[in-house]
Amino acid sequence: MKRNFALLLFFLCMYVHSQRREEFDKLYVKTYLETSQKDFNKAIKIADSLYQFSSDPILKGRSLMLSATLYQQKGKFTKAVDYALSAEKVIDKTDNITWKTRIYGFLASQYRMLKLYDLSKKYADEAIESSKKITDTLASRQMVGLMMQEKAYFEIDRKNYKASIRYVKSSENLLKAVNKNHDFFTANNEQLLGLNYFHLQQYPLSLKHYEAALSQVKDQPETFLTGLIYNGISNVYLNTGRLKEAEYELNKARKIADETQFLQLKKEIYDTAERLYLAKKEINKVGEFKKKQDSVKAQLDIETGSFYNSSLKAAETKNTSAKRSGIIKNILIISVLALLLGFFIYFLYYQRAEKMTYRRFKAIIAELNRRAHDREKQEHKGENHLSGMINEDQTSLMTSLTENKLVKDLEKFEQTDIYLKNDISLSVLASYCKTNTKYLSYVIKHHKGMDFNNYINSLRINYIIEKLTHDPEYRKYKIATLAEECGFSSQNKFATVFKKITTISPSVFIKYLQDQPQNT
């Protein structure tokens, strides 16, 4: 009788446990459905409720990893790592090697995306070592195969594309016998091969692997991997001049990116779109995708900065032993003194640099006024001044008459706004001057003291300096707007050229102008 009661109690406990696990699995699937429907907030709420609902440490660890994955897709690096580290603590109390290995693999991937390669390698190695303890041979091979994919991504980040290909081949050998998710794993390996051969500029081979990846996922719901494949194909077409096909593939990738929360995917696709429309010379679309790209990068940068501030120290010091209190105190004192000394040196350097920068600013304004004064004198005399005629024997490339004419043509060109157009080129300017590019390059080099690109850039920077100096409205514009106004393709390029020519950044130059008691 007692034996029968014990058996009944055992089966009752097993039934309750199975019912809870079944309910957990239902909620787990529902979370993925919410994710596919792009309802991130609802998915997170369900994932959190799974944690509260679960008493089993394995289920708790699974729910924490689900939250970590959702935050990773959203680009919330700090929360993703926090949840994964919490899951690691929970699972470490169990003997479940499979989930320990999965968590190590997730952290390896996360740290790689954060460019923390030492931590990434540490967790990747832990995942491989842990997977060797999995009794299920196929499961063990699957985990090692996935870590080979992770190492392939690691080598791509370091531009070691041939090493990355070797890891992909190793992953293929390990995963070929795995049945569960086989198509997805195979597709990811083919996508990785496509990406590596693209970087190696072996475009036919790259396209072949991307198309093989696409065939593996054609019967599956579209995911971030599908978006990466379409984007990869678009890049191949773009680099081989097939712009119409590139745009077609890109639009399919964009559709997936716009409907998902994957910031990394959006970053890749917006970068491709920017390059594509630059090649097609559709400037409005270039600007549109540049803004989207900047927005995504800003979100990623914010999350990365937040991670460094709140998570990196804990992750790096997790397994280190405590230092003796006396040593720590001495190090702290030395650090504070070094910091104070460094601050004092920096302050002196900053003061000196600030004075030099301001002197340079005043020199630019003085030069601007001098040029304006010279123009007024020339206009008053009714002359188009040329700084001396050229003797015939000074050059054997062209006649002095031709050279004088080209110098005058350049002075006329400088009075137009043609150099503000972002499609200006040496051949376009040669057509304007009714000459050939060889003659024109020679005249620019010998009379302007620079090559064509630097000549155009100097005209553009001088133009925007005059606008900023004489029209206060321009000082209210964003740097990106100023860059576009004077013909630069990007804000970064404009800022780099501005500082190269003036030794002052655009923002500092504008600040000095605004601090002037009156317009100079």
Side-chain angles (χ1 to χ4, degrees), residues 156 160-161 164-165 168 192-200:
I156 289 174
N160 295 332
Y161 305 118
S164 176
I165 290 171
V168 177
L192 278 166
L193 289 172
L195 181 59
N196 277 300
Y197 286 119
F198 171 79
H199 285 302
L200 291 170

Side-chain angles (χ1 to χ4, degrees), residues 411-452:
E411 290 185 352
K412 290 178 183 177
F413 166 74
E414 291 170 7
Q415 303 307 313
T416 71
D417 62 356
I418 298 174
Y419 57 81
L420 300 179
K421 300 182 183 300
N422 55 24
D423 60 350
I424 185 70
S425 65
L426 182 62
S427 58
V428 170
L429 183 53
S431 296
Y432 174 87
C433 296
K434 296 182 176 60
T435 187
N436 59 58
T437 55
K438 185 176 181 181
Y439 281 9
L440 184 58
S441 293
Y442 176 88
V443 171
I444 291 174
K445 181 178 179 181
H446 285 268
H447 290 271
K448 303 299 178 179
M450 60 190 84
D451 62 20
F452 169 79

Side-chain angles (χ1 to χ4, degrees), residues 104-120:
Y104 297 152
F106 177 89
L107 286 168
S109 176
Q110 197 67 21
Y111 286 131
R112 172 183 55 79
M113 288 190 288
L114 288 162
K115 312 299 181 188
L116 299 173
Y117 295 118
D118 288 342
L119 282 171
S120 175

Side-chain angles (χ1 to χ4, degrees), residues 31 54 65 124 153-154 160 293 343 377 398 435 485:
T31 308
S54 306
M65 284 306 298
Y153 277 116
F154 179 85
N160 295 332
Q293 177 75 302
F343 179 81
K377 286 173 65 178
M398 69 190 84
T435 187
E485 167 76 12

Side-chain angles (χ1 to χ4, degrees), residues 243-402:
L243 301 186
K244 186 174 181 180
E245 292 161 284
E247 185 172 25
Y248 178 74
E249 297 297 330
L250 179 65
N251 285 336
K252 291 191 284 188
R254 279 180 54 200
K255 183 173 181 290
I256 296 172
D258 290 342
E259 292 176 354
T260 65
Q261 305 291 341
F262 294 92
L263 287 183
Q264 290 287 349
L265 175 61
K266 291 182 179 182
K267 178 176 176 290
E268 296 289 333
I269 289 173
Y270 294 156
D271 179 66
T272 303
E274 193 178 338
R275 290 176 55 241
L276 172 64
Y277 290 115
L278 189 62
K280 294 185 72 176
K281 298 181 180 177
E282 296 183 21
I283 304 305
N284 289 338
K285 286 192 175 181
V286 172
E288 174 190 342
F289 284 103
K290 182 69 171 69
K291 288 179 182 177
K292 289 184 176 182
Q293 177 75 302
D294 289 345
S295 175
V296 169
K297 283 182 178 178
Q299 292 179 63
L300 291 172
D301 288 345
I302 290 170
E303 286 300 323
T304 303
S306 176
F307 173 83
Y308 275 95
N309 290 333
S310 62
S311 298
L312 179 58
K313 184 178 178 180
E316 287 180 334
T317 60
K318 179 186 169 196
N319 296 317
T320 59
S321 59
K323 303 292 182 181
R324 292 181 181 179
S325 59
I327 296 175
I328 293 175
K329 187 181 294 184
N330 290 337
I331 291 174
L332 184 61
I333 292 171
I334 293 171
S335 298
V336 170
L337 290 174
L339 186 64
L340 289 172
L341 179 60
F343 179 81
F344 179 73
I345 293 171
Y346 174 79
F347 178 78
L348 293 178
Y349 172 80
Y350 177 81
Q351 289 288 90
R352 185 165 176 260
E354 185 75 0
K355 289 179 181 178
M356 292 177 65
T357 302
Y358 189 71
R359 282 200 295 268
R360 177 59 185 152
F361 165 78
K362 298 297 288 184
I364 292 170
I365 298 301
E367 176 63 16
L368 187 66
N369 291 335
R370 186 192 65 76
R371 287 203 302 264
H373 181 66
D374 288 347
R375 282 198 301 269
E376 288 177 5
K377 286 173 65 178
Q378 290 171 27
E379 290 169 2
H380 181 69
K381 292 178 179 180
E383 295 175 348
N384 186 8
H385 181 67
L386 184 63
S387 57
M389 300 298 287
I390 299 150
N391 294 327
E392 185 70 29
D393 60 353
Q394 282 184 304
T395 175
S396 59
L397 183 64
M398 69 190 84
T399 66
S400 60
L401 184 63
T402 300

